[in-house]
Amino acid sequence: MSDDSDGASCRTDVTGPPGTGGPPYAECVLCREPTEYPRSYRGITLCPVCEWQEAQRTACSG
Protein backbone atom coordinates (compact mmCIF):
# COMPACT_ATOMS: atom_id res chain seq x y z
CA MET A 1 0.00 0.00 0.00
CA SER A 2 1.36 3.41 -1.00
CA ASP A 3 1.17 6.51 1.18
CA ASP A 4 1.14 9.77 -0.84
CA SER A 5 0.19 11.95 2.12
CA ASP A 6 3.46 13.90 1.88
CA GLY A 7 2.58 15.12 -1.65
CA ALA A 8 5.75 13.72 -3.20
CA SER A 9 4.10 11.93 -6.07
CA CYS A 10 5.52 12.13 -9.59
CA ARG A 11 2.23 12.89 -11.27
CA THR A 12 2.01 15.62 -13.87
CA ASP A 13 -1.08 17.72 -14.40
CA VAL A 14 -1.71 16.78 -18.02
CA THR A 15 -5.26 16.78 -19.25
CA GLY A 16 -6.44 14.35 -21.88
CA PRO A 17 -8.19 15.17 -25.09
CA PRO A 18 -11.56 16.87 -24.78
CA GLY A 19 -14.46 14.47 -24.41
CA THR A 20 -12.30 11.53 -23.41
CA GLY A 21 -14.66 8.73 -22.62
CA GLY A 22 -15.24 5.40 -24.21
CA PRO A 23 -15.55 4.00 -27.68
CA PRO A 24 -16.20 4.68 -30.49
CA TYR A 25 -12.88 6.40 -31.11
CA ALA A 26 -11.91 8.46 -34.15
CA GLU A 27 -9.27 7.11 -36.54
CA CYS A 28 -5.82 8.67 -36.82
CA VAL A 29 -5.62 10.69 -40.04
CA LEU A 30 -2.13 9.35 -40.75
CA CYS A 31 -2.11 5.65 -39.82
CA ARG A 32 -5.84 4.89 -39.32
CA GLU A 33 -5.25 3.49 -35.80
CA PRO A 34 -7.78 4.35 -33.06
CA THR A 35 -7.08 7.60 -31.23
CA GLU A 36 -7.97 8.85 -27.75
CA TYR A 37 -10.54 11.19 -29.28
CA PRO A 38 -14.24 10.38 -29.72
CA ARG A 39 -15.62 10.20 -33.26
CA SER A 40 -17.60 13.37 -32.59
CA TYR A 41 -14.35 15.38 -32.07
CA ARG A 42 -13.83 18.01 -34.76
CA GLY A 43 -10.39 18.66 -36.13
CA ILE A 44 -7.33 16.61 -36.92
CA THR A 45 -7.15 13.44 -34.85
CA LEU A 46 -3.84 11.68 -34.34
CA CYS A 47 -3.04 8.54 -32.37
CA PRO A 48 -0.52 8.95 -29.51
CA VAL A 49 2.36 7.64 -31.66
CA CYS A 50 1.66 10.00 -34.56
CA GLU A 51 1.12 12.92 -32.13
CA TRP A 52 4.55 12.27 -30.65
CA GLN A 53 6.19 12.00 -34.08
CA GLU A 54 4.50 15.21 -35.25
CA ALA A 55 5.69 17.02 -32.12
CA GLN A 56 9.26 15.84 -32.81
CA ARG A 57 9.08 17.11 -36.41
CA THR A 58 7.72 20.53 -35.46
CA ALA A 59 10.15 20.94 -32.54
CA CYS A 60 13.15 20.41 -34.82
CA SER A 61 11.92 22.60 -37.68
CA GLY A 62 13.15 25.62 -35.81
Side-chain angles (χ1 to χ4, degrees):
M1 208 160 134
S2 175
D3 182 17
D4 287 333
S5 61
D6 63 348
S9 66
C10 293
R11 296 181 341 160
T12 58
D13 191 20
V14 177
T15 58
T20 302
Y25 297 110
E27 289 183 343
C28 176
V29 297
L30 298 176
C31 69
R32 315 288 280 175
E33 291 293 321
T35 66
E36 297 175 343
Y37 298 93
R39 283 194 182 160
S40 60
Y41 181 75
R42 292 183 174 234
I44 297 173
T45 54
L46 298 173
C47 69
V49 173
C50 291
E51 277 188 11
W52 181 82
Q53 291 173 344
E54 187 65 23
Q56 293 296 313
R57 281 192 285 271
T58 58
C60 295
S61 65

